[in-house]
Amino acid sequence: MKNFKIALSSADAANESSPILLTGSICENLKTAGTIGYDAIEIHLRENDDIRYEDIIKTGEQNKVKIASIVTGRLAVQRKISLTDASERNASIAYKGVLKYIDIAARFNTDIIIGWIRGKRLTQSRDAYEALLAEKIKKLETYAQAKNVRVFVEAINRYEINTMNTAEEIMHWIEKYKLVNTYVHLDTFHMNIEEADISKAIELCGKKLGYIHFADSNRYYPGAGHIDFESILKSLDKIEYDGYLSVECLPFPERTIAASKALKTLKNIIDQ
Ligand code: LER
Ligand code: MN
């Protein structure tokens, strides 16, 4: 099987109910990820954080650990706003915030994740929500493309967001609105709830799959629940997926133990 690149989630701080493994400064997290054996970290941060680019790029190079993606979720969670917010003022703050995340991703030569920041469907029809989101993402993806940054839109389960929960829905939306620099972002935890057939969902995305989060059915590390990761990796191999497998799971029983166990589960399958 292909030697996939493996990443894990990181932030400066996170509580135990967030699916974030490494906590600390970005430089500390790059070092820890390298010591455990990961290829990259994904970074959950605020768009206006003070970022020491030179130090981080140097530390990444020294430890041979890359930045897999920049995650926008904190802007949504901390400010309680979204790109499709009922308040135009909030939608505009969210939009400008995502532009800043794209600037950060460009400095690190990586891509951005659009998860909760896309917002819930309110009183409008499904079509109206999708058209509104597409209008925002179209402008964002053009801005990002000029900076060589791709946009990954995540399919999230129904208990967290009330629309675009499956791979097929995101694919359909991307195709309908002819989004060229926007890709499907899957998450095995959400897929276990939403997809009738996880492998078929991956294969449906094909080259439009940009990114995938890994957690088990209970959102603990892969190997702690009942998801069949072997068939998932086989499907990713089949579509010649060349992005990251990014571990985004709860820090159970402890952050670095979960990180090591996740890596072991995935490597054992890859090395078979
Ligand atoms: C949310 O459950 C999730 O999976 C994150 O990646 C949100 O952006
Ligand atoms: Mn996720």
Side-chain angles (χ1 to χ4, degrees):
M1 191 180 289
K2 183 186 173 135
N3 196 15
F4 293 106
K5 302 173 287 184
I6 310 182
L8 82 172
S9 56
S10 74
D12 57 349
N15 61 38
E16 288 185 1
S17 55
S18 298
I20 289 175
L21 286 181
L22 300 186
T23 52
S25 74
I26 297 174
C27 286
E28 281 165 1
N29 292 337
L30 285 165
K31 287 183 202 158
T32 310
T35 307
I36 302 171
Y38 279 87
D39 301 302
I41 57 170
E42 63 170 49
I43 307 175
H44 294 242
L45 78 179
R46 277 299 298 270
E47 78 291 358
N48 49 11
D49 277 356
D50 193 15
I51 301 170
R52 290 162 47 211
Y53 289 99
E54 279 80 25
D55 285 352
I56 294 166
I57 290 168
K58 201 169 93 194
T59 306
E61 283 169 1
Q62 282 167 350
N63 291 272
K64 297 192 174 50
V65 176
K66 296 214 155 69
I67 295 173
S69 65
I70 294 296
V71 191
T72 59
R74 281 205 166 170
L75 175 59
V77 174
Q78 291 178 357
R79 300 256 345 225
K80 298 191 170 49
I81 59 171
S82 78
L83 289 168
T84 55
D85 209 294
S87 143
E88 267 186 38
R89 186 171 172 273
N90 285 350
S92 162
I93 295 169
Y95 181 82
K96 288 183 186 141
V98 175
L99 292 177
K100 287 193 183 164
Y101 280 113
I102 294 169
D103 293 340
I104 297 170
R107 295 283 301 266
F108 288 131
N109 198 16
T110 190
D111 303 304
I112 62 153
I113 291 180
I114 300 285
W116 289 322
I117 195 70
R118 63 183 164 87
K120 286 190 179 160
R121 182 160 67 87
L122 306 167
T123 51
Q124 76 266 59
S125 68
R126 181 175 289 256
D127 280 353
Y129 168 89
E130 292 188 1
L132 176 64
L133 182 63
E135 183 194 316
K136 307 287 166 111
I137 297 287
K138 186 83 213 166
K139 286 193 278 176
L140 289 168
E141 73 159 21
T142 304
Y143 180 82
Q145 196 166 25
K147 294 178 175 249
N148 205 22
V149 171
R150 291 173 300 165
V151 177
F152 300 146
V153 176
E154 188 172 21
I156 297 176
N157 81 69
R158 69 188 66 196
Y159 305 108
E160 296 179 36
I161 205 158
N162 60 356
T163 191
M164 291 166 58
N165 313 109
T166 64
E168 190 179 5
E169 285 172 290
I170 305 263
M171 272 299 279
H172 176 255
W173 172 78
I174 286 176
E175 281 164 2
K176 180 169 177 189
Y177 293 99
K178 300 187 172 50
L179 300 169
V180 292
N181 185 36
T182 297
Y183 294 79
V184 185
H185 169 7
L186 297 175
D187 180 321
T188 61
F189 170 71
H190 301 311
M191 294 182 93
N192 182 57
I193 297 169
E194 297 293 343
E195 304 290 353
D197 184 325
I198 295 185
S199 289
K200 271 198 193 144
I202 290 171
E203 288 164 30
L204 175 87
C205 298
K207 285 289 157 212
K208 266 305 213 182
L209 180 63
Y211 203 75
I212 180 162
H213 276 153
F214 273 74
D216 219 318
S217 49
N218 41 21
R219 219 172 197 181
Y220 292 156
Y221 59 85
H226 59 70
I227 291 181
D228 176 1
F229 289 102
E230 188 170 342
S231 67
I232 290 176
L233 290 177
K234 279 188 180 153
S235 297
L236 291 170
D237 201 31
K238 189 166 162 193
I239 63 164
E240 297 177 359
Y241 174 71
D242 62 3
Y244 286 96
L245 315 180
S246 189
V247 177
E248 186 203 47
C249 67
L250 295 168
F252 165 84
E254 188 273 319
R255 296 182 184 283
T256 53
I257 295 175
S260 301
K261 286 187 180 269
L263 189 64
K264 196 166 167 219
T265 300
L266 298 176
K267 288 242 188 236
N268 276 348
I269 300 169
I270 293 166
D271 294 343
Q272 262 171 35

